[in-house]
Amino acid sequence: MKIKDFNFAGKKAIVRVDFNVPLDENGVITDDTRIRGALPTLKHILEGGGSLIIMSHMGKPKGKVNAKMSLGQIREAVAKALGVPVQFADDCAKAKPQADALKAGEVLLLENLRFYPEEEGKPVGIEKEDPAYEQAKKEMKARQKEFAKTLASYADCYVNDAFGTAHRKHASTAVIADYFDADHKMLGFLMEKEVEAVDNILKNIRRPFTAIMGGSKVSTKIGIIENLMDKVDNLILCGGMTYTFARALGGHVGNSICEEDKLDLALNIIAQAKAKGVNLVLGTDCVAGDSFSNDAHQQVVPANAVPEGWEGMDAGPESRKAFAAAIDGAKTILWNGPAGVFEFDNFTAGSRAIAEAIAKATDEGAYSLIGGGDSVACINKFGLADRVSYISTGGGALLEAIEGKILPGVAAIGE
Ligand code: AMP
């Protein structure tokens, strides 16, 4: 079912959102992006005459009640954002009477789902190596189903709008969907947008397609690189990865971050790109520093000849030009991971060059998707967030989707 086609009048909707917002030591929200992200869905349901049961996790309480991670702390903020009072159920598994009493237009926020180990469905207090683990896992899976069934019993329909946890098969993100038929379960607007964004770069590709992968290590990006290899025209690999490639090709990288045990993998990526006709763009020069700090002395050196005692911390001018050239004229662009240690203001030039090239290509009609943690921080730092097509809200979920994995939270809705 599509959310825009569902008639919420007189219906209770249980909505999984990602309200895992950062709080300061006084429990005050420091960034409310996630609450704002869910508003279109929540307001749509209320405006359609429905009532809301909102559920989320916060932090990692590991199946135990923990006041520091209580969603009660954000009740007022949610009420303010929605413009209506919000009731609170301080035990998410015993909220049936409160849910039953909800009238159209009313809102009930459930306490942190992860206060119950059933939410994640992993046995607690037992190691994987323990012979009794398999049995404990089976029992926990049965309890997870019961927990999901209880949550489902609160409402007439289920909406999943929590992209941040869509890669998890938890009670509230996937298992609960088994208790609703296809006409009574749906993705929220945020989820729909995220799924469409991933489709734009994996399925509905307009060419040329340039993917830019940066960050610190090849090993954490290999799944994505391999999935993209069959799809992209240009593949820019930058950031800390540069030096694993330079080393694999026989270069000297000084103190640069380098995965010595991934040299074969790097060579294999180069060979794959050649075999598949992908234009692989690697950094040829870098801005090296003599210590890992913002105030380090700098020099521009070839990425494969970094002097001893120095480390490559940003892309050099020649590399920046090559990156921009591979982005210029692209019609589909994906960016994950910075081109340098962008947290240090003196080492942002590489990431900035990429962000600016993406903004320019987007102005000229490209579809650009930015996602997966640090690249989002980058684009915000450079003030260019408004000049790209879409910024994903889901770190791990986006990365798994780009790896080509089916997200349980999306699959459970069955679209
Ligand atoms: P990731 O989580 O793998 O996307 O990596 C992001 C991190 O990579 C950021 O914190 C950057 O500071 C870091 N990074 C990027 N380039 C380099 C580099 N040349 N040396 C060390 N760290 C880097």
Side-chain angles (χ1 to χ4, degrees):
M1 171 59 73
K2 291 271 176 228
I3 184 167
K4 68 171 175 37
D5 298 328
F6 191 81
N7 181 3
F8 287 99
K11 296 279 193 288
K12 293 188 171 80
I14 187 158
V15 188
R16 176 55 155 105
V17 295
D18 180 3
F19 280 177
N20 183 25
V21 289
L23 303 175
D24 67 14
E25 60 279 9
N26 301 316
V28 177
I29 299 171
T30 54
D31 179 354
D32 68 350
T33 310
R34 287 177 173 159
I35 294 179
R36 284 187 283 113
L39 286 181
T41 293
L42 301 178
K43 285 190 169 168
H44 174 80
I45 296 169
L46 291 178
E47 282 159 14
S51 54
L52 279 176
I53 299 144
I54 304 175
M55 57 178 174
S56 177
H57 76 284
M58 179 180 272
K60 293 183 176 164
K62 303 219 163 102
K64 290 204 188 86
V65 175
N66 181 333
K68 285 205 173 104
M69 297 175 202
S70 170
L71 283 166
Q73 299 172 98
I74 68 163
R75 185 218 309 217
E76 282 308 319
V78 176
K80 213 168 147 195
L82 280 174
V84 293
V86 170
Q87 302 170 40
F88 187 65
D90 55 17
D91 186 334
C92 64
K94 298 199 176 98
K96 177 89 171 126
Q98 280 170 284
D100 283 349
L102 280 182
K103 295 192 202 69
E106 292 186 343
V107 183
L108 175 65
L109 174 65
L110 303 185
E111 181 55 289
N112 194 343
L113 297 159
R114 291 193 189 164
F115 285 180
Y116 279 87
E118 285 85 348
E119 165 62 1
E120 294 182 77
K122 272 189 271 171
V124 275
I126 181 162
E127 297 298 321
K128 275 202 175 120
E129 295 69 34
D130 195 310
Y133 182 83
E134 279 310 309
Q135 184 57 27
K137 192 168 140 191
K138 230 167 126 184
E139 282 168 21
M140 182 52 87
K141 287 285 167 207
R143 279 167 55 187
Q144 185 182 48
K145 279 190 185 169
E146 281 308 308
F147 181 69
K149 195 173 166 187
T150 301
L151 296 172
S153 74
Y154 299 164
D156 304 302
C157 60
Y158 167 65
V159 183
N160 188 356
D161 212 18
F163 186 69
T165 46
H167 56 319
R168 307 280 181 224
K169 192 173 178 186
H170 291 170
S172 67
T173 61
V175 185
I176 186 173
D178 290 346
Y179 301 96
F180 295 91
D181 65 33
D183 292 334
H184 292 85
K185 55 185 168 188
M186 62 213 93
L187 299 178
F189 291 120
L190 177 66
M191 274 281 251
E192 280 186 348
K193 270 201 292 188
E194 295 277 357
V195 169
E196 187 191 311
V198 172
D199 280 353
N200 281 342
I201 57 150
L202 293 187
K203 293 183 190 156
N204 315 322
I205 303 166
R206 287 189 299 136
R207 300 199 173 274
F209 177 10
T210 298
I212 307 115
M213 305 294 305
S216 50
K217 293 177 176 171
V218 187
S219 52
T220 56
K221 305 278 157 105
I222 185 63
I224 300 176
I225 293 172
E226 289 193 330
N227 193 36
L228 288 176
M229 199 62 95
D230 287 322
K231 303 183 169 36
V232 295
D233 302 292
N234 303 301
L235 179 60
I236 299 173
L237 297 180
C238 53
M241 280 191 261
T242 308
Y243 311 97
T244 302
F245 282 91
R247 184 89 187 89
L249 292 167
H252 296 279
V253 298
N255 289 345
S256 307
I257 184 169
C258 175
E259 290 179 280
E260 286 289 343
D261 60 338
K262 293 290 178 293
L263 303 184
D264 285 346
L265 184 67
L267 292 178
N268 184 268
I269 290 171
I270 293 172
Q272 273 189 53
K274 206 166 182 189
K276 293 184 175 169
V278 170
N279 174 34
L280 180 64
V281 185
L282 295 165
T284 50
D285 61 349
C286 67
V287 181
D290 60 355
S291 69
F292 192 74
S293 79
N294 187 42
D295 302 323
H297 294 107
Q298 294 192 355
Q299 62 169 319
V300 174
V301 293
N304 61 3
V306 181
E308 282 311 315
W310 291 73
E311 60 184 297
M313 285 164 66
D314 197 7
E318 192 182 281
S319 307
R320 301 201 287 264
K321 240 190 231 164
F323 297 166
I327 296 167
D328 189 31
K331 286 285 166 274
T332 301
I333 300 168
L334 166 71
W335 182 23
N336 166 262
V341 189
F342 79 103
E343 295 90 338
F344 297 152
D345 287 346
N346 294 335
F347 293 93
T348 54
S351 304
R352 187 184 290 275
I354 288 173
E356 282 171 357
I358 295 175
K360 177 173 171 281
T362 311
D363 287 345
E364 290 165 2
Y367 177 83
S368 52
L369 168 60
I370 320 293
D374 283 328
S375 26
V376 178
C378 254
I379 203 98
N380 286 330
K381 182 164 180 159
F382 305 140
L384 292 169
D386 292 344
R387 287 183 54 203
V388 298
S389 308
Y390 191 69
I391 297 182
S392 174
T393 60
L398 177 79
L399 298 184
E400 288 200 16
I402 303 171
E403 277 182 41
K405 292 186 185 157
I406 305 288
L407 302 180
V410 177
I413 299 297
E415 285 183 26

